[in-house]
Amino acid sequence: MTYRMGKKWSFFKEAVKNIRTTGAIASSSPALAKRLVAALPADRPVNIVELGPGDGSITHAILERIHPGSKVTAFEINPSFVAELANIGDDRLEVLAVGAERLTEYFAPGSVDFVISSLPLSMIPQEVKEEILRQTRIVLGATGQFRQYQYALQDYSLLKDYFHRVSVSYTLANLPPAFVYSCMMGG
Ligand SMILES: C[S@@+](CC[C@H](N)C(=O)[O-])C[C@H]1O[C@@H](n2cnc3c(N)ncnc32)[C@H](O)[C@@H]1O
């Protein structure tokens, strides 16, 4: 089995074991990852939080794109994925075995520039999801940006309740095709 096939197989096994928290049976395509990280600057250091990195398909795309002085803090609740992410071995990345609903325990208001999320929003209980969005808004402050993908627009109106500016794009180059939300308070 090739390395890439092996990654796909281990993601699939984790997804089957934990379908309610994983929310997908395959990791994101390189095209979706590229779109999700497209707003990250490469020419200056920024503070990035990743929510739900899973096996690291988005994490790798983030690390490939960003400035050497940027920092990425990833929040992941599945211990198997946490162990896999620990092998990435990039000094800019810190992996926390902590739920996204604890963001404000780790970051001061307005201290994060980007939150990049692949959380399975539609499967997360409403009160937990709203707590994650509330805390995301706090740590991002007025100028930070929240980017999230979803396979249908189930949470579009909820995101508009939490952020003043919400735009959506779409990529067919993923199975299934996906919407990418970009959300800000101001800017
Ligand atoms: C659809 S997978 C995304 C994996 C990968 N980032 C991708 O896009 O292919 C969702 C991930 O979110 C994680 N997750 C679910 N609820 C979470 C929470 N409350 N806090 C942090 N991670 C969570 C799951 O364990 C899983 O790894």
Side-chain angles (χ1 to χ4, degrees):
M1 199 185 291
T2 64
Y3 174 72
R4 204 169 148 66
M5 281 300 290
K7 291 263 301 169
K8 282 186 176 184
W9 177 238
S10 62
F11 186 94
F12 178 75
K13 280 193 297 183
E14 279 310 312
V16 169
K17 269 195 281 174
N18 308 285
I19 192 61
R20 288 210 65 77
T21 54
T22 308
I25 53 162
S27 53
S28 303
S29 70
L32 175 56
K34 198 171 163 193
R35 184 167 295 225
L36 205 59
V37 307
L40 300 177
D43 60 350
R44 63 188 163 91
V46 288
N47 197 14
I48 300 157
V49 164
E50 186 184 5
L51 305 179
D55 68 348
S57 53
I58 308 292
T59 320
H60 285 287
I62 294 172
L63 292 168
E64 270 163 32
R65 185 179 169 88
I66 59 174
H67 188 273
S70 288
K71 182 163 181 355
V72 184
T73 309
F75 288 70
E76 173 55 62
I77 55 169
N78 180 321
S80 304
F81 287 142
V82 170
E84 199 172 336
L85 293 161
N87 292 328
I88 291 180
D90 187 311
D91 290 343
R92 297 169 298 174
L93 174 67
E94 181 179 12
V95 181
L96 301 176
V98 167
E101 59 281 4
R102 293 178 57 195
L103 255 182
T104 52
E105 288 176 37
Y106 292 82
F107 292 97
S111 65
V112 175
D113 300 296
F114 292 89
V115 173
I116 306 289
S117 170
S118 15
L119 293 174
L121 281 190
S122 55
M123 300 184 93
I124 294 178
Q126 189 70 18
E127 64 282 7
V128 178
K129 176 162 60 181
E130 295 212 27
E131 185 59 23
I132 293 169
L133 293 176
R134 192 184 69 78
Q135 293 192 26
T136 296
R137 191 173 62 184
I138 290 172
V139 301
L140 285 173
T143 55
Q145 188 177 147
F146 176 55
R147 294 176 71 82
Q148 163 83 49
Y149 71 76
Q150 194 165 41
Y151 302 127
L153 291 172
Q154 294 106 315
D155 286 301
Y156 183 41
S157 64
L158 179 67
L159 289 171
K160 287 203 288 187
D161 289 342
Y162 278 83
F163 295 93
H164 288 151
R165 292 173 49 202
V166 179
S167 60
V168 190
S169 67
Y170 185 65
T171 178
L172 287 169
N174 191 67
L175 261 181
F179 294 94
V180 175
Y181 301 111
S182 165
C183 312
M184 293 181 79
M185 283 310 286

